[in-house]
Amino acid sequence: MSKLRIAVGRQSTQLIALATLCLSCLSGCGWAAHNQNVDGVRLYQQSYYPAAVQKFQQAIQSDPANADSYYNLAATLHREGKVQQRPADLAQAESYYHQCLDRDPNHKDCYRGLAVMLVEQGRSNDAFTLLEGWSQRNPVSPEPKIELARLFDEGGDRERAKAHLQEALVVAPNNPRALSALAKLREETGDPGQALANYQRSLAQNPYQPEVAARVAALQSSVGITAPATAPNGTRLVTNPASPGWVAR
C-alpha cells in the first residue's frame, strides 16, 4: 500500500491510495474502491477537492469496510473545512475519522489526522485523550506513543515528548520513527552527539530516509566525524542532503 502525503497547514495528512496491491488480491467491490481511491488522491493533488470527495464517497459505497476510504474522505473534508472556513465540513470530517477508526482501530494516520483537527479547534484535551486511549489499548505498540510525542512536541513540551519516545523504544528498540524523532529532540536541545547516534541507528533500520541522512551528514561535520557512518551489520549509511523533520510514516 502506498501513501501520498498531503500538507494540511503546518501538519501532514496522508491520503492513502492502494496502488501497489496485486490484481489477484482485488476483485469486485475491492477493485472498484481501489480505483476510486487512486482517482480521488490524484484529484486531491490537483486541488479538485469536491471531485475528490465524490471519488472517496464512491469508494465507500463500493467497499463500506475499507477504512482507508473513510480516512481519505475525512482528510479531504478536513482540508476543505479549514481552508474554506466551513464548520459543516469539519463536523463531517470528524465523523468520517471516527468511522475509519471503527473499521480499523489502529489506523495511525487517522488518529494523527483527527488529533490535529481537534488541536486546531482548541480541543487539545480531547486530542490527548484520544491518543492516550489508543496507547492504553495497545501497550506493546510504539505507534500511539510516537504520535503522543509528536503532539507534545508540537505543543512545545519537549520533555514529555522525549518521555513518550523513550517509552516507544522500550517496546520497540529499533523503531526508526521513534529513533529519528528522539534524535531531532536531542539535536534541538543541544545534544548533537547523542542525536547523531540516534539518527544513525534509525538509518541502520531504514536506509531510505533522506531527511535523516541529511542530519547525519550535517552532524558528522559539526562534531568532527568525516567518514560516513557504518551500521552494525556493515551497511554503509546514506548521506544525501534533505530537510530535517519528523520521519514520514
Side-chain angles (χ1 to χ4, degrees):
M1 179 173 67
S2 65
K3 301 177 184 178
L4 303 181
R5 292 174 179 81
I6 309 298
V8 178
R10 68 185 182 88
Q11 312 296 349
S12 173
T13 296
Q14 302 175 352
L15 297 186
I16 299 178
L18 309 181
T20 60
L21 289 177
C22 298
L23 293 181
S24 60
C25 298
L26 296 169
S27 62
C29 295
W31 178 238
H34 159 73
N35 284 335
Q36 289 153 351
N37 269 310
V38 171
D39 289 343
V41 170
R42 176 178 52 79
L43 289 165
Y44 186 108
Q45 291 177 316
Q46 296 171 350
S47 299
Y48 297 139
Y49 302 122
V53 165
Q54 290 181 350
K55 285 295 180 182
F56 297 137
Q57 289 173 332
Q58 291 171 8
I60 288 172
Q61 291 173 354
S62 297
D63 186 0
N66 187 335
D68 291 339
S69 300
Y70 292 88
Y71 170 74
N72 285 344
L73 180 55
T76 306
L77 289 167
H78 180 179
R79 167 75 176 180
E80 276 286 81
K82 183 178 177 182
V83 172
Q84 302 298 331
Q85 297 185 338
R86 291 201 292 253
D89 283 353
L90 294 175
Q92 280 190 303
E94 184 170 352
S95 173
Y96 282 115
Y97 278 135
H98 283 292
Q99 290 180 64
C100 169
L101 293 176
D102 287 342
R103 288 155 180 81
D104 181 358
N106 291 306
H107 199 296
K108 68 180 182 185
D109 297 315
C110 190
Y111 275 107
R112 170 66 181 165
L114 178 54
V116 166
M117 190 176 75
L118 292 172
V119 170
E120 290 170 348
Q121 294 176 342
R123 299 161 61 190
S124 295
N125 288 341
D126 291 341
F128 284 110
T129 298
L130 173 76
L131 296 182
E132 286 165 356
W134 180 28
S135 182
Q136 290 168 5
R137 292 188 297 274
N138 297 270
V140 298
S141 172
E143 297 301 335
K145 298 171 178 59
I146 293 171
E147 292 305 328
L148 272 166
R150 190 172 190 171
L151 210 58
F152 277 114
D153 182 44
E154 290 166 350
D157 192 339
R158 288 176 172 169
E159 287 306 310
R160 293 186 74 177
K162 187 182 296 184
H164 281 292
L165 290 172
Q166 290 169 334
E167 289 177 9
L169 290 170
V170 168
V171 298
N174 296 316
N175 184 283
R177 283 190 66 214
L179 286 165
S180 60
L182 183 58
K184 175 178 176 289
L185 287 177
R186 283 175 164 160
E187 183 179 2
E188 291 172 348
T189 53
D191 190 357
Q194 189 59 54
L196 176 59
N198 290 147
Y199 280 135
Q200 289 174 327
R201 281 183 60 197
S202 179
L203 273 182
Q205 300 303 315
N206 176 11
Y208 303 104
Q209 301 181 85
E211 300 93 343
V212 175
R215 298 316 307 152
V216 167
L219 287 172
Q220 283 175 337
S221 176
S222 69
V223 300
I225 301 174
T226 57
T230 301
N233 61 2
T235 302
R236 211 164 177 77
L237 300 183
V238 183
T239 54
N240 293 326
S243 59
W246 282 76
V247 175
R249 294 171 291 280

